[in-house]
Amino acid sequence: MSSSNPSFVQNMSIVRPEYFFISGLSGTPYSMYYYIFLCFTYVIAVIGNSVVLLIIALEQSLHSPKYIGVFNLALADLGETNAVIPNMMKIFFSDSQYVSYNACLANMFFVNIFITVQSASLVVLAFDRFIAICLPLRYHAIVNNTVMSIVFVVIWMFNSSVVALSTSLMTRLSFCKSNVVQSYYCDYGPVLRLACNDNSINMFITNLIAALFLIAPVFIIVLSYLGIFFALSKITTWEARLKALKTCVCHLLLVGIFFLPVICMFIASSIISLTPNVRVISGSLSFSLPPMLNPIIYVLNTAEIRVLIRKLLKNRIVPIRKKFLK
């Protein structure tokens, strides 16, 4: 067993650690600066996603199917960044890298639920763009606020059920090898590798989740954009093509930011053996950067949100300026 293991408790034939030890970055002299950078991304992500959520919730003109999708994506981004980074900062800045067994499972659940909702939200937004461009005359009949709201209620319920099942199955595992998690949070894979009894059911659920929320979404999004590009090829003028394609740029950027780091890390780990520190850095960046960049991308690429922000700033600044001039 690991020397960092404080104690183990035995329940029936199941051996559970009282605590898990989150290894994080080890042997890196400037790791503190990296954690400060993650704090910086956290602040921007919280402010940016909160602004997007408030603007969409309060502005009546944005109560449309597309922005229901954007709202849920921002909500998942906000939830994920709050589930990952504050706990990470608490562990490493306080120099106490032990997390209780139950707290570890709770952290695992919340991180995974928000990540799966992010993935599903990007698929729904791809479907929205597909219908808007390929079937514009039937758009409002197929995609409306009621349909979009029902879709996201189903997504949250289904994803919560699947993630809750995968997390609850952790309780049937014995952790008699070690309690050291080679990650920066209670990551499902590294924790699963610590089990010393049969984990075939857990591995099946892991592969199912990867298929449902990584492979299938990428496949569906690629198919939707193939359909979009085919529809655009039938448009006679380049101006009309670019105008239609411009509505997809924002979504394509979000898809690339979310899926490309995960896919690249998966390919790299299958080709070469990545060190724990490389896995920690690549994993934490792939989880922290999308929630920070997503609201920035939407603000810069969405005229409606830019106009509303300008109005809000103008309403705030003008009275202050008049008061100052007096």
Side-chain angles (χ1 to χ4, degrees):
M1 289 185 188
S2 169
S3 59
S4 61
N5 183 1
S7 63
F8 278 76
V9 293
Q10 187 168 352
N11 180 16
M12 303 287 287
S13 59
I14 304 297
V15 179
R16 296 173 182 168
E18 186 178 353
Y19 297 95
F20 283 106
F21 182 85
I22 310 299
S23 65
L25 291 172
S26 56
T28 306
Y30 302 107
S31 59
M32 185 64 67
Y33 296 106
Y34 182 67
Y35 297 139
I36 293 172
F37 167 73
L38 290 182
C39 284
F40 176 73
T41 65
Y42 171 74
V43 171
I44 296 177
V46 169
I47 294 173
N49 286 291
S50 298
V51 168
V52 170
L53 288 172
L54 284 172
I55 288 175
I56 294 175
L58 298 176
E59 182 55 40
Q60 192 70 30
S61 64
L62 297 181
H63 294 178
S64 62
K66 174 185 174 182
Y67 288 104
I68 290 175
V70 174
F71 183 90
N72 280 272
L73 179 62
L75 186 62
D77 284 340
L78 188 63
E80 186 230 305
T81 197
N82 276 297
V84 173
I85 299 181
N87 281 333
M88 187 177 180
M89 297 301 103
K90 179 183 176 183
I91 290 171
F92 296 114
F93 280 143
S94 65
D95 200 29
S96 176
Q97 294 171 238
Y98 291 104
V99 177
S100 69
Y101 179 84
N102 289 330
C104 183
L105 294 186
N107 181 232
M108 184 186 298
F109 170 79
F110 284 110
V111 172
N112 289 338
I113 179 62
F114 290 124
I115 290 172
T116 59
V117 171
Q118 284 175 312
S119 176
S121 298
L122 291 172
V123 173
V124 175
L125 288 170
F127 174 76
D128 175 82
R129 291 300 84 205
F130 175 81
I131 299 298
I133 293 174
C134 298
L135 302 169
L137 298 179
R138 298 183 60 193
Y139 177 80
H140 294 292
I142 299 172
V143 182
N144 53 55
N145 289 356
T146 302
V147 170
M148 193 67 84
S149 299
I150 292 172
V151 166
F152 275 103
V153 168
V154 172
I155 285 173
W156 281 97
M157 292 177 63
F158 176 76
N159 291 20
S160 298
S161 301
V162 173
V163 174
L165 174 63
S166 67
T167 306
S168 64
L169 286 174
M170 279 288 180
T171 59
R172 60 179 291 277
L173 299 178
S174 286
F175 300 95
C176 51
K177 293 179 181 179
S178 172
N179 71 328
V180 179
V181 180
Q182 297 285 347
S183 187
Y184 57 98
Y185 77 104
C186 285
D187 197 350
Y188 192 90
V191 173
L192 184 59
R193 286 193 288 270
L194 299 177
C196 54
N197 60 337
D198 179 33
N199 63 357
S200 56
I201 296 177
N202 301 76
M203 288 301 299
F204 172 78
I205 295 296
T206 301
N207 294 329
L208 177 63
I209 290 175
L212 286 174
F213 302 112
L214 179 60
I215 299 172
V218 172
F219 182 72
I220 293 170
I221 291 171
V222 169
L223 283 180
S224 69
Y225 274 98
L226 287 175
I228 288 172
F229 293 144
F230 179 74
L232 292 178
S233 68
K234 294 182 177 181
I235 299 176
T236 55
T237 63
W238 278 102
E239 292 79 4
R241 291 179 186 177
L242 291 174
K243 184 179 179 180
L245 189 60
K246 190 177 179 181
T247 64
C248 301
V249 170
C250 187
H251 179 256
L252 283 170
L253 288 172
L254 300 182
V255 169
I257 290 170
F258 182 80
F259 286 108
L260 281 179
V262 178
I263 293 172
C264 290
M265 189 170 62
F266 177 79
I267 293 173
S269 61
S270 63
I271 297 174
I272 59 174
S273 179
L274 300 178
T275 64
N277 282 348
V278 171
R279 288 181 179 275
V280 168
I281 292 174
S282 58
S284 57
L285 286 177
S286 65
F287 280 5
S288 60
L289 290 182
M292 180 189 74
L293 295 175
N294 287 353
I296 297 174
I297 291 171
Y298 262 109
V299 169
L300 293 178
N301 287 277
T302 307
E304 297 95 331
I305 295 180
R306 290 202 307 271
V307 169
L308 288 171
I309 290 177
R310 288 196 196 101
K311 286 182 179 178
L312 290 173
L313 291 175
K314 187 177 180 180
N315 292 337
R316 292 274 185 177
I317 293 172
V318 170
I320 294 173
R321 184 181 296 174
K322 288 181 177 178
K323 186 177 180 181
F324 178 78
L325 291 174
K326 288 180 181 179

